[in-house]
Protein backbone atom coordinates (compact mmCIF):
# COMPACT_ATOMS: atom_id res chain seq x y z
CA UNK A 1 0.00 0.00 0.00
CA UNK A 2 1.33 3.43 -0.96
CA UNK A 3 1.82 5.92 1.87
CA UNK A 4 0.10 9.24 1.23
CA UNK A 5 1.85 11.63 3.60
CA UNK A 6 -0.10 14.89 3.85
CA UNK A 7 1.68 16.30 6.92
CA UNK A 8 3.89 18.74 5.04
CA UNK A 9 5.85 19.30 1.84
CA UNK A 10 8.96 18.92 4.01
CA UNK A 11 8.52 15.12 3.72
CA UNK A 12 9.02 15.27 -0.06
CA UNK A 13 11.52 12.72 -1.36
CA UNK A 14 14.01 13.29 -4.17
CA UNK A 15 13.67 12.31 -7.83
CA UNK A 16 16.30 9.82 -9.02
CA UNK A 17 17.75 12.41 -11.42
CA UNK A 18 18.34 14.79 -8.52
CA UNK A 19 20.32 12.15 -6.63
CA UNK A 20 22.35 11.49 -9.80
CA UNK A 21 23.08 15.22 -10.14
CA UNK A 22 24.29 15.21 -6.53
CA UNK A 23 26.57 12.24 -7.12
CA UNK A 24 28.09 13.92 -10.17
CA UNK A 25 28.66 17.31 -8.49
CA UNK A 26 32.02 19.04 -8.76
CA UNK A 27 32.99 20.13 -5.23
CA UNK A 28 35.59 22.10 -3.26
CA UNK A 29 35.89 23.71 0.16
CA UNK A 30 33.11 26.27 0.43
CA UNK A 31 34.58 27.90 3.54
CA UNK A 32 37.38 28.99 1.16
CA UNK A 33 34.64 29.80 -1.40
CA UNK A 34 36.12 27.08 -3.62
CA UNK A 35 33.06 24.93 -4.19
CA UNK A 36 32.12 25.55 -7.84
CA UNK A 37 28.65 24.05 -7.46
CA UNK A 38 27.76 26.18 -4.45
CA UNK A 39 29.12 29.23 -6.25
CA UNK A 40 26.96 28.39 -9.26
CA UNK A 41 23.85 27.91 -7.11
CA UNK A 42 24.43 31.20 -5.31
CA UNK A 43 24.84 33.08 -8.60
CA UNK A 44 21.69 31.49 -9.94
CA UNK A 45 19.71 32.29 -6.77
CA UNK A 46 20.88 35.92 -6.79
CA UNK A 47 19.72 36.27 -10.40
CA UNK A 48 16.35 34.62 -9.71
CA UNK A 49 15.60 36.91 -6.79
CA UNK A 50 17.04 40.01 -8.47
CA UNK A 51 19.47 40.56 -5.60
CA UNK A 52 23.20 41.37 -5.82
CA UNK A 53 24.26 38.37 -3.70
CA UNK A 54 23.00 35.06 -2.32
CA UNK A 55 24.27 32.44 0.12
CA UNK A 56 23.46 28.74 0.47
CA UNK A 57 22.31 27.86 4.00
CA UNK A 58 21.27 24.60 5.57
CA UNK A 59 17.65 25.43 6.33
CA UNK A 60 14.89 28.00 6.15
CA UNK A 61 15.34 28.74 9.84
CA UNK A 62 19.05 29.42 9.28
CA UNK A 63 18.28 31.79 6.39
CA UNK A 64 15.68 33.74 8.39
CA UNK A 65 17.73 34.03 11.53
CA UNK A 66 20.93 35.05 9.71
CA UNK A 67 18.88 37.72 7.91
CA UNK A 68 17.63 39.05 11.24
CA UNK A 69 21.06 38.93 12.85
CA UNK A 70 22.73 40.69 9.93
CA UNK A 71 20.23 43.55 9.79
CA UNK A 72 19.72 44.41 13.45
CA UNK A 73 21.68 45.22 16.58
CA UNK A 74 21.28 43.55 19.97
CA UNK A 75 18.44 45.38 21.75
CA UNK A 76 16.55 46.36 18.58
CA UNK A 77 12.97 45.33 17.89
CA UNK A 78 11.45 43.75 14.76
CA UNK A 79 7.86 43.92 13.55
CA UNK A 80 6.70 40.37 12.77
CA UNK A 81 3.48 38.52 11.97
CA UNK A 82 1.93 37.03 15.13
CA UNK A 83 1.67 33.64 13.39
CA UNK A 84 4.80 33.94 11.29
CA UNK A 85 7.18 31.00 11.24
CA UNK A 86 10.22 33.03 12.25
CA UNK A 87 8.39 34.22 15.35
CA UNK A 88 6.43 31.14 16.43
CA UNK A 89 8.40 28.15 15.12
CA UNK A 90 12.09 29.01 15.26
CA UNK A 91 12.78 28.25 18.93
CA UNK A 92 12.89 31.91 19.93
CA UNK A 93 16.08 32.44 17.91
CA UNK A 94 15.05 36.02 17.12
CA UNK A 95 15.60 36.78 20.83
CA UNK A 96 18.18 34.12 21.68
CA UNK A 97 20.48 34.53 18.67
CA UNK A 98 19.95 38.18 17.71
CA UNK A 99 18.85 39.73 21.01
CA UNK A 100 15.92 41.27 19.15
CA UNK A 101 12.49 41.90 20.63
CA UNK A 102 9.78 40.59 18.30
CA UNK A 103 6.76 42.90 18.11
CA UNK A 104 3.88 40.78 16.77
CA UNK A 105 1.15 42.10 14.45
CA UNK A 106 -2.05 40.15 14.76
CA UNK A 107 -4.54 40.15 11.88
CA UNK A 108 -7.08 37.44 11.04
CA UNK A 109 -5.52 36.88 7.62
CA UNK A 110 -1.93 36.94 8.99
CA UNK A 111 -0.96 39.82 6.66
CA UNK A 112 0.90 42.87 7.98
CA UNK A 113 -0.77 46.16 6.97
CA UNK A 114 0.50 49.75 6.72
CA UNK A 115 -1.77 50.50 9.72
CA UNK A 116 0.29 48.02 11.77
CA UNK A 117 3.46 49.83 10.79
CA UNK A 118 1.85 53.18 11.58
CA UNK A 119 0.64 51.89 14.97
CA UNK A 120 4.15 50.81 15.93
CA UNK A 121 5.97 53.93 14.87
CA UNK A 122 6.78 55.67 18.11
CA UNK A 123 9.15 58.61 18.29
CA UNK A 124 12.49 58.00 19.96
CA UNK A 125 11.65 56.97 23.52
CA UNK A 126 14.28 55.80 25.98
CA UNK A 127 11.84 53.16 27.30
CA UNK A 128 11.20 51.50 23.96
CA UNK A 129 13.56 49.38 21.83
CA UNK A 130 13.66 50.86 18.32
CA UNK A 131 12.11 48.84 15.52
CA UNK A 132 14.73 48.45 12.82
CA UNK A 133 13.38 45.50 10.85
CA UNK A 134 10.09 44.44 9.28
CA UNK A 135 9.71 40.69 8.68
CA UNK A 136 7.16 39.60 6.09
CA UNK A 137 6.18 36.09 4.96
CA UNK A 138 4.98 35.09 1.48
CA UNK A 139 3.44 32.58 0.95
CA UNK A 140 1.92 32.69 4.43
CA UNK A 141 1.79 29.60 6.62
CA UNK A 142 -2.02 29.72 6.41
CA UNK A 143 -1.81 28.73 2.74
CA UNK A 144 -2.63 32.13 1.25
CA UNK A 145 -0.46 34.69 -0.50
CA UNK A 146 0.18 38.36 0.22
CA UNK A 147 -0.76 40.64 -2.71
CA UNK A 148 2.17 42.49 -4.20
CA UNK A 149 0.45 45.86 -3.72
CA UNK A 150 0.40 45.23 0.04
CA UNK A 151 4.06 44.22 0.09
CA UNK A 152 4.86 47.37 -1.88
CA UNK A 153 2.98 49.61 0.57
CA UNK A 154 4.56 47.94 3.62
CA UNK A 155 8.03 48.15 2.09
CA UNK A 156 7.65 51.85 1.29
CA UNK A 157 6.52 52.61 4.84
CA UNK A 158 9.34 50.59 6.38
CA UNK A 159 11.87 52.39 4.20
CA UNK A 160 10.43 55.81 5.15
CA UNK A 161 11.25 54.86 8.73
CA UNK A 162 14.75 53.66 7.89
CA UNK A 163 13.92 50.01 8.68
CA UNK A 164 15.30 47.00 6.86
CA UNK A 165 12.87 44.47 5.43
CA UNK A 166 13.22 40.68 5.36
CA UNK A 167 10.91 38.28 3.54
CA UNK A 168 10.56 34.69 4.71
CA UNK A 169 9.89 33.17 1.32
CA UNK A 170 10.22 29.54 2.38
CA UNK A 171 7.58 28.95 -0.32
CA UNK A 172 8.53 31.90 -2.55
CA UNK A 173 8.02 29.88 -5.73
CA UNK A 174 4.55 28.80 -4.59
CA UNK A 175 3.76 32.45 -3.92
CA UNK A 176 5.11 33.45 -7.33
CA UNK A 177 2.94 30.84 -9.04
CA UNK A 178 -0.19 31.85 -7.11
CA UNK A 179 0.38 35.56 -7.74
CA UNK A 180 1.39 35.13 -11.39
CA UNK A 181 4.65 37.00 -10.67
CA UNK A 182 8.33 36.13 -10.78
CA UNK A 183 10.28 35.55 -7.55
CA UNK A 184 12.26 38.72 -8.37
CA UNK A 185 9.05 40.77 -8.68
CA UNK A 186 8.08 39.66 -5.17
CA UNK A 187 11.57 40.12 -3.75
CA UNK A 188 11.63 43.63 -5.18
CA UNK A 189 9.74 44.73 -2.05
CA UNK A 190 12.25 43.42 0.48
CA UNK A 191 15.93 43.90 1.25
CA UNK A 192 16.65 40.26 2.03
CA UNK A 193 14.72 37.15 1.08
CA UNK A 194 15.08 33.53 2.09
CA UNK A 195 13.61 30.60 0.19
CA UNK A 196 13.71 26.84 0.61
CA UNK A 197 15.12 24.42 -1.95
CA UNK A 198 13.65 21.61 0.11
CA UNK A 199 9.86 21.41 0.62
CA UNK A 200 7.98 21.52 -2.71
CA UNK A 201 11.19 21.93 -4.72
CA UNK A 202 12.27 18.51 -3.40
CA UNK A 203 15.92 19.05 -2.46
CA UNK A 204 16.91 17.02 0.61
CA UNK A 205 18.50 20.00 2.36
CA UNK A 206 19.05 23.66 1.75
CA UNK A 207 17.76 27.18 1.52
CA UNK A 208 18.99 30.47 0.13
CA UNK A 209 19.41 33.87 1.71
CA UNK A 210 19.67 36.65 -0.88
CA UNK A 211 20.13 40.39 -0.52
CA UNK A 212 22.65 43.23 -0.70
CA UNK A 213 26.33 42.15 -0.96
CA UNK A 214 27.33 43.70 2.36
CA UNK A 215 24.44 42.07 4.25
CA UNK A 216 25.14 38.66 2.74
CA UNK A 217 28.85 38.95 3.64
CA UNK A 218 27.85 39.72 7.23
CA UNK A 219 25.45 36.77 7.19
CA UNK A 220 28.29 34.56 5.89
CA UNK A 221 30.34 35.40 8.96
CA UNK A 222 27.38 34.70 11.26
CA UNK A 223 26.73 31.44 9.41
CA UNK A 224 30.32 30.39 10.22
CA UNK A 225 29.80 31.48 13.83
CA UNK A 226 27.00 28.94 14.25
CA UNK A 227 28.85 26.14 12.48
CA UNK A 228 27.16 26.59 9.13
CA UNK A 229 30.33 26.49 6.99
CA UNK A 230 29.62 23.56 4.70
CA UNK A 231 32.94 22.47 3.12
CA UNK A 232 32.10 20.15 0.16
CA UNK A 233 28.48 21.25 0.25
CA UNK A 234 28.39 21.18 -3.53
CA UNK A 235 26.73 17.77 -3.35
CA UNK A 236 23.79 19.47 -1.65
CA UNK A 237 23.94 22.53 -3.87
CA UNK A 238 23.69 20.25 -6.93
CA UNK A 239 20.29 19.15 -5.63
CA UNK A 240 19.36 22.83 -5.29
CA UNK A 241 20.40 23.57 -8.87
CA UNK A 242 18.40 20.58 -10.07
CA UNK A 243 15.43 21.83 -8.02
CA UNK A 244 15.56 25.29 -9.59
CA UNK A 245 16.01 23.89 -13.11
CA UNK A 246 13.44 21.08 -12.98
CA UNK A 247 11.07 21.33 -10.03
CA UNK A 248 9.72 24.89 -10.11
CA UNK A 249 7.13 24.44 -12.88
CA UNK A 250 6.00 21.19 -11.26
CA UNK A 251 4.65 23.14 -8.25
CA UNK A 252 1.64 23.85 -10.46
CA UNK A 253 0.60 20.17 -10.00
CA UNK A 254 0.68 20.58 -6.21
CA UNK A 255 -1.52 23.68 -6.40
CA UNK A 256 -3.96 21.93 -8.74
CA UNK A 257 -4.06 18.85 -6.51
CA UNK A 258 -4.67 21.01 -3.43
CA UNK A 259 -7.63 22.68 -5.18
CA UNK A 260 -8.93 19.29 -6.33
CA UNK A 261 -8.61 17.82 -2.84
CA UNK A 262 -10.27 20.87 -1.29
CA UNK A 263 -13.11 20.75 -3.76
CA UNK A 264 -13.77 17.07 -3.00
CA UNK A 265 -13.53 17.53 0.77
CA UNK A 266 -15.79 20.60 0.72
CA UNK A 267 -18.60 18.47 -0.73
CA UNK A 268 -18.58 16.09 2.25
CA UNK A 269 -21.34 16.95 4.72
CA UNK A 270 -19.89 18.35 7.95
CA UNK A 271 -16.64 19.63 6.44
CA UNK A 272 -16.06 23.37 6.72
CA UNK A 273 -13.60 24.57 4.13
CA UNK A 274 -13.07 27.95 2.44
CA UNK A 275 -12.16 27.18 -1.14
CA UNK A 276 -10.92 30.71 -1.87
CA UNK A 277 -8.26 30.26 0.83
CA UNK A 278 -6.67 27.38 -1.07
CA UNK A 279 -4.05 29.39 -2.93
CA UNK A 280 -0.92 27.24 -2.80
CA UNK A 281 -0.40 23.57 -1.86
CA UNK A 282 -2.21 23.63 1.48
CA UNK A 283 -5.77 22.75 2.40
CA UNK A 284 -7.18 23.82 5.77
CA UNK A 285 -10.54 22.59 7.03
CA UNK A 286 -12.60 21.76 10.10
CA UNK A 287 -14.92 18.84 10.72
CA UNK A 288 -18.24 19.57 12.29
CA UNK A 289 -19.86 16.14 12.72
CA UNK A 290 -21.36 14.96 16.02
CA UNK A 291 -19.76 11.74 17.36
CA UNK A 292 -16.69 12.20 15.25
CA UNK A 293 -13.37 11.79 17.02
CA UNK A 294 -10.14 13.27 15.65
CA UNK A 295 -7.94 10.51 17.06
CA UNK A 296 -9.95 7.67 15.55
CA UNK A 297 -10.14 9.47 12.17
CA UNK A 298 -6.35 9.76 12.10
CA UNK A 299 -6.01 6.10 13.04
CA UNK A 300 -8.44 5.09 10.31
CA UNK A 301 -6.55 7.14 7.74
CA UNK A 302 -3.19 5.80 8.91
CA UNK A 303 -4.47 2.21 8.67
CA UNK A 304 -5.31 2.98 5.06
CA UNK A 305 -1.92 4.54 4.28
CA UNK A 306 -2.78 8.22 4.79
CA UNK A 307 -0.56 10.08 7.24
CA UNK A 308 -1.84 13.35 8.72
CA UNK A 309 -1.04 15.73 11.55
CA UNK A 310 -3.54 16.11 14.39
CA UNK A 311 -5.80 19.16 13.97
CA UNK A 312 -4.56 22.41 15.56
CA UNK A 313 -7.34 24.35 17.30
CA UNK A 314 -9.77 22.03 15.50
CA UNK A 315 -8.24 22.81 12.10
CA UNK A 316 -6.65 20.22 9.81
CA UNK A 317 -3.87 21.07 7.37
CA UNK A 318 -3.29 18.75 4.41
CA UNK A 319 -0.32 19.55 2.17
CA UNK A 320 0.17 18.32 -1.40
CA UNK A 321 3.67 17.83 -2.78
CA UNK A 322 5.90 15.83 -5.13
CA UNK A 323 4.70 12.23 -4.92
CA UNK A 324 1.05 13.05 -4.14
CA UNK A 325 -1.14 12.47 -7.18
CA UNK A 326 -4.71 13.29 -8.14
CA UNK A 327 -5.57 9.60 -7.52
CA UNK A 328 -4.16 9.95 -4.00
CA UNK A 329 -6.46 12.94 -3.46
CA UNK A 330 -9.40 10.78 -4.58
CA UNK A 331 -8.35 8.11 -2.04
CA UNK A 332 -8.21 10.68 0.77
CA UNK A 333 -11.61 12.16 -0.15
CA UNK A 334 -13.16 8.66 -0.30
CA UNK A 335 -11.69 7.57 3.04
CA UNK A 336 -12.84 10.69 4.91
CA UNK A 337 -16.29 10.49 3.32
CA UNK A 338 -16.60 6.81 4.34
CA UNK A 339 -15.38 7.49 7.87
CA UNK A 340 -17.71 10.42 8.49
CA UNK A 341 -20.68 8.57 6.97
CA UNK A 342 -20.06 5.77 9.48
CA UNK A 343 -20.49 8.30 12.31
CA UNK A 344 -24.00 9.32 11.26
C1 LIG B 1 7.10 29.76 6.35
C2 LIG B 1 8.28 28.94 6.79
N1 LIG B 1 9.44 29.55 7.04
C3 LIG B 1 10.53 28.86 7.42
C4 LIG B 1 10.49 27.49 7.56
C5 LIG B 1 11.72 26.78 8.05
O1 LIG B 1 12.28 25.95 7.11
P1 LIG B 1 13.28 24.76 7.55
O2 LIG B 1 12.43 23.66 8.04
O3 LIG B 1 14.02 24.46 6.30
O4 LIG B 1 14.19 25.30 8.59
C6 LIG B 1 9.30 26.80 7.32
C7 LIG B 1 9.24 25.34 7.50
O5 LIG B 1 8.26 24.67 7.26
C8 LIG B 1 8.16 27.55 6.93
O6 LIG B 1 6.99 26.94 6.69
Amino acid sequence: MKTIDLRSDTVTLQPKEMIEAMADAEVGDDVYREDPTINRLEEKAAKLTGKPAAMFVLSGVMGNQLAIRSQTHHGDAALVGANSHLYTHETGAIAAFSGVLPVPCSNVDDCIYPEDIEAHTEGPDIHVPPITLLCMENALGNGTVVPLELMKADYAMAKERGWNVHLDGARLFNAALALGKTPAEIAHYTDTVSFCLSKGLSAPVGSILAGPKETIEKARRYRKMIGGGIRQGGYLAAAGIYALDHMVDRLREDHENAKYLADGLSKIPGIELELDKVQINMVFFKINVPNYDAKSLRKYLQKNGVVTLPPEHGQYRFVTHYGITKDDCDTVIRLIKEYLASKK
Side-chain angles (χ1 to χ4, degrees):
M1 181 170 51
K2 177 185 175 181
T3 298
I4 303 170
D5 193 338
L6 298 173
R7 289 173 300 169
S8 176
D9 46 12
T10 57
V11 303
T12 305
L13 296 178
Q14 289 65 54
K16 189 167 90 7
E17 295 78 6
M18 183 182 274
I19 303 287
E20 284 164 4
M22 293 171 74
D24 290 344
E26 205 190 328
V27 297
D29 189 331
D30 181 57
V31 175
Y32 297 131
R33 311 288 294 274
E34 287 172 5
D35 189 301
T37 310
I38 292 192
N39 292 344
R40 203 147 53 84
L41 172 64
E42 291 181 344
E43 274 164 36
K44 200 177 178 69
K47 231 181 238 156
L48 268 170
T49 51
K51 299 294 178 199
M55 175 175 68
F56 183 55
V57 292
L58 294 174
S59 66
V61 170
M62 192 182 264
N64 284 336
Q65 298 303 328
L66 290 176
I68 294 167
R69 179 79 193 237
S70 310
Q71 296 180 96
T72 55
H73 293 105
H74 202 92
D76 285 356
L79 204 62
V80 301
N83 290 320
S84 63
H85 195 279
L86 58 79
Y87 175 48
T88 62
H89 278 76
E90 299 190 3
T91 62
I94 187 165
F97 177 54
S98 294
V100 166
L101 178 79
V103 178
C105 297
S106 188
N107 292 305
V108 280
D109 59 4
D110 290 342
C111 288
I112 296 176
Y113 289 92
E115 299 85 276
D116 298 311
I117 298 175
E118 191 65 57
H120 287 96
T121 310
E122 287 101 18
D125 179 338
I126 199 167
H127 303 93
V128 179
I131 292 175
T132 57
L133 181 70
L134 166 67
C135 296
M136 304 197 248
E137 191 175 279
N138 208 3
L140 290 161
N142 65 11
T144 66
V145 290
V146 182
L148 228 52
E149 280 310 304
L150 181 53
M151 283 190 66
K152 183 179 178 182
D154 286 348
Y155 182 67
M157 284 191 68
K159 288 287 128 187
E160 273 169 27
R161 286 152 179 77
W163 302 354
N164 288 312
V165 179
H166 172 63
L167 172 67
D168 176 357
R171 295 182 183 81
L172 179 67
F173 291 88
N174 297 85
L177 176 61
L179 289 164
K181 303 286 178 191
T182 63
E185 283 173 309
I186 298 175
H188 187 65
Y189 300 112
T190 185
D191 298 309
T192 52
V193 58
S194 55
F195 70 79
C196 293
L197 297 157
S198 54
K199 309 199 170 53
L201 295 186
S202 308
V205 172
S207 289
I208 293 289
L209 174 64
K213 271 203 170 80
E214 211 179 294
T215 311
I216 297 304
E217 277 321 297
K218 251 192 196 175
R220 206 175 279 284
R221 195 161 53 81
Y222 287 126
R223 186 187 69 174
K224 188 78 181 93
M225 186 186 280
I226 55 170
I230 34 188
R231 305 299 178 188
Q232 286 78 41
Y235 294 115
L236 300 175
I241 291 173
Y242 185 91
L244 292 174
D245 286 345
H246 300 281
M247 304 303 279
V248 171
D249 291 342
R250 197 209 54 80
L251 292 175
R252 190 177 298 280
E253 279 171 40
D254 298 345
H255 289 207
E256 283 167 5
N257 284 337
K259 284 205 167 75
Y260 181 79
L261 177 62
D263 189 55
L265 290 174
S266 71
K267 293 189 175 115
I268 300 174
I271 289 203
E272 294 171 10
L273 191 157
E274 292 178 79
L275 283 172
D276 61 334
K277 299 259 168 73
V278 184
Q279 297 176 6
I280 54 167
N281 60 334
M282 294 181 181
V283 180
F284 289 85
F285 64 94
K286 286 186 174 173
I287 298 181
N288 193 3
V289 171
N291 306 324
Y292 129 85
D293 163 56
K295 262 196 192 142
S296 78
L297 170 60
R298 273 185 77 219
K299 251 196 195 154
Y300 177 75
L301 291 174
Q302 178 103 41
K303 202 176 76 189
N304 287 285
V306 179
V307 185
T308 59
L309 286 175
E312 244 183 68
H313 308 295
Q315 180 149 262
Y316 288 88
R317 185 190 77 165
F318 285 2
V319 184
T320 54
H321 51 86
Y322 179 61
I324 304 277
T325 63
K326 197 168 168 223
D327 283 350
D328 296 335
C329 297
D330 280 325
T331 303
V332 174
I333 295 163
R334 176 179 54 76
L335 287 170
I336 295 187
K337 198 170 171 177
E338 274 171 15
Y339 176 84
L340 292 180
S342 75
K343 297 289 142 193
K344 290 262 159 77

